[in-house]
Amino acid sequence: MKFNKLALAIALTWANAAALAASGANTAAAPPQLAAAQPSAKASAPAADNADAAPLPPPSSAAQHLYGSAKNDILQVRSLLKSGRTQSSVGSGFLIGTSNLVVTNYHVVSQFALDPDTYVGEWVDTSGQRGNVELLAVDVLHDLAVLRVSRNGTGFFKIPEQLAKLTQGQYLYSLGNPLDLGFAISEGAYNGVIARSFYDQLMFTGPINAGMSGGPSVTVDGAVAGVNVSKRLDGELVSFLVPARFAQDLLKRVAQQTKPPTDFTAVVAAQLLNHQRAMVDQLLASPLTLKPMGPYQVPVRESEQMRCWGRSNVKADKPFTVDDASCAMESAIFVSGSLQTGQLSIRHQYLRSTGLDQLRFAQLASASFKNENFGSHKDTRLTGPQCTEDFVKNKDLPLRAVLCVRAYRKFAGLYDFALLTASTDQGLMSLQSRLDARGVSYENGLRLSRVFIESLGLAPVARKPAVAAVPAKGGKQ
């Protein structure tokens, strides 16, 4: 049976996806929280989260001079509950030139961008003045936003047409309000462009603590090099900046628009749809790489954005072995504190018996296949999984396949796809594979699933070289 049958089946069971998504569109989203266990964390902070406060090193004379010149144009950007005006999250921002426009991160403003009925934005400057903010534009793909406030800058921070050229090892200075403790400046070095993210980021070897998100990172001359965005939690002083050119592009868009959007949820959805189109096209621009696993060959993609890892649990006291190969994109698009998307992952498991008979191995393989999570029906962000299971066959491998789809409740046209397959050609071994595509269109989800199934197969059998016959001594040829 070809994959088309499975695709048709899921298409039929998912015919009401739009209606299902619409029925949950008014469900309240969970309060944003940033998981500390993630390998990289956005540098905004819940208002009361000061537990990981770390003292900054004393600033150099250059840092002192920069802070003294820039402090009047640095702002703290707060997200407040409309009811009671209590603080929900904090970040930073900076005034551009002598205008009343502020550049910050999208994730700093995401609460009042997506839920303006519940949250409102506020700015506070170094002298304690404060006021409301007006959201003008967002760039969710590069994690940027532009605000309008009720005061003007002094002209210190500028993002000119000709941006400053950076060299590796050059000192940069990041400003913001770390951990809601007060405004501060930290020193570090620029260490190149990070290509592992789908969109370029700058590596800053210096401290960027929670609450500094959206603050500027400048050269010793005060030229804006980037915008503070995140740090690695599994390393020391490994931080990231959004390149200034993306802020430059967003400010140009603001200058061209007659009025700000009335619905930023629709704006974010459109940007996410553009991202998934580019992501899938790039992934499938060339054939997937085929790797051997036992008698099988499995598809993977190794690139700057996607990394692959392998491991095996070979143990003498186990009557079976499992080899794992996993590939995943190392970055995702931040949408809210409870939702990150726009990401692909591939996993393969090769199970083989070393002491089990066929019945017990079949039970083991079946339990492994069933022990998969496709999401909850109680999720407020996505609908429950709609799944179709069938037995299919590609060019040379019979498979058991499950395809599950979930619709985003607030972002029309976006889905999460999960495809799970298991080989059925052997009694004492099993290849189990999974593809996850988060935040893709329905058409691209099916497109990825079809390519994935068609790429699974049997490894080519190595043929022994033919040996030329040698006549016996004294014999005739």
Side-chain angles (χ1 to χ4, degrees), residues 124-147:
V124 181
D125 65 15
T126 53
S127 65
Q129 296 183 76
R130 66 186 61 215
N132 291 334
V133 305
E134 179 186 9
L135 183 57
L136 299 182
V138 300
D139 179 354
V140 68
L141 306 184
H142 300 106
D143 203 345
L144 291 172
V146 174
L147 313 172

Side-chain angles (χ1 to χ4, degrees), residues 251-449:
L251 287 166
K252 289 179 180 177
R253 281 161 46 189
V254 169
Q256 294 170 357
Q257 68 184 22
T258 55
K259 59 181 181 179
T262 57
D263 181 8
F264 279 97
T265 296
V267 172
V268 170
Q271 293 179 3
L272 292 174
L273 281 167
N274 286 336
H275 167 74
Q276 65 85 31
R277 191 176 301 114
M279 176 182 69
V280 174
D281 286 348
Q282 180 172 310
L283 178 77
L284 300 182
S286 59
L288 297 176
T289 302
L290 300 179
K291 299 276 190 179
M293 290 192 81
Y296 304 104
Q297 63 180 11
V298 299
V300 299
R301 170 65 78 219
E302 293 177 298
S303 66
E304 287 296 334
Q305 289 79 37
M306 226 170 164
R307 297 287 175 174
C308 298
W309 304 92
R311 64 178 182 176
S312 179
N313 76 331
V314 177
K315 294 181 179 179
D317 60 341
K318 294 287 185 181
F320 63 91
T321 61
V322 182
D323 295 338
D324 283 279
S326 299
C327 302
M329 292 180 66
E330 295 196 345
S331 64
I333 304 298
F334 179 98
V335 179
S336 70
S338 59
L339 178 62
Q340 296 190 39
T341 189
Q343 193 177 39
L344 297 171
S345 63
I346 294 171
R347 189 199 71 211
H348 302 286
Q349 287 187 320
Y350 171 50
L351 295 82
R352 58 193 181 278
S353 172
T354 56
L356 296 175
D357 58 35
Q358 287 198 20
L359 178 59
R360 288 188 297 166
F361 182 79
Q363 292 173 336
L364 170 73
S366 179
S368 174
F369 188 81
K370 291 178 180 178
N371 190 29
E372 294 285 341
N373 180 26
F374 297 110
S376 169
H377 287 268
K378 298 179 181 179
D379 197 327
T380 58
R381 306 161 304 164
L382 295 96
T383 61
Q386 299 287 318
C387 300
T388 295
E389 182 173 1
D390 210 337
F391 288 90
V392 301
K393 188 178 187 303
N394 59 20
K395 60 183 182 297
D396 59 6
L397 187 62
L399 298 163
R400 178 185 179 187
V402 176
L403 184 63
C404 295
V405 186
R406 306 175 70 195
Y408 284 66
R409 296 184 187 272
K410 294 187 70 171
F411 304 104
L414 289 173
Y415 303 85
D416 279 2
F417 272 69
L419 172 65
L420 182 66
T421 66
S423 61
T424 59
D425 64 319
Q426 298 287 339
L428 294 176
M429 62 183 64
S430 175
L431 173 68
Q432 299 188 4
S433 302
R434 177 164 175 164
L435 167 72
D436 283 278
R438 296 166 53 196
V440 296
S441 68
Y442 193 79
E443 293 74 16
N444 272 336
L446 285 180
R447 180 184 169 199
L448 286 165
S449 300

Side-chain angles (χ1 to χ4, degrees), residues 39-43 187-189 191-192 194 196 201-209 229-241:
S40 102
K42 300 297 182 182
E187 298 179 76
N191 273 301
I194 299 299
R196 293 188 186 182
Q201 290 186 334
L202 308 183
M203 182 176 176
F204 174 64
T205 308
I208 294 181
N209 288 299
V229 65
S230 63
K231 66 176 181 178
R232 287 289 293 240
L233 297 179
D234 57 348
E236 295 293 333
L237 300 182
V238 181
S239 305
F240 303 99
L241 313 171

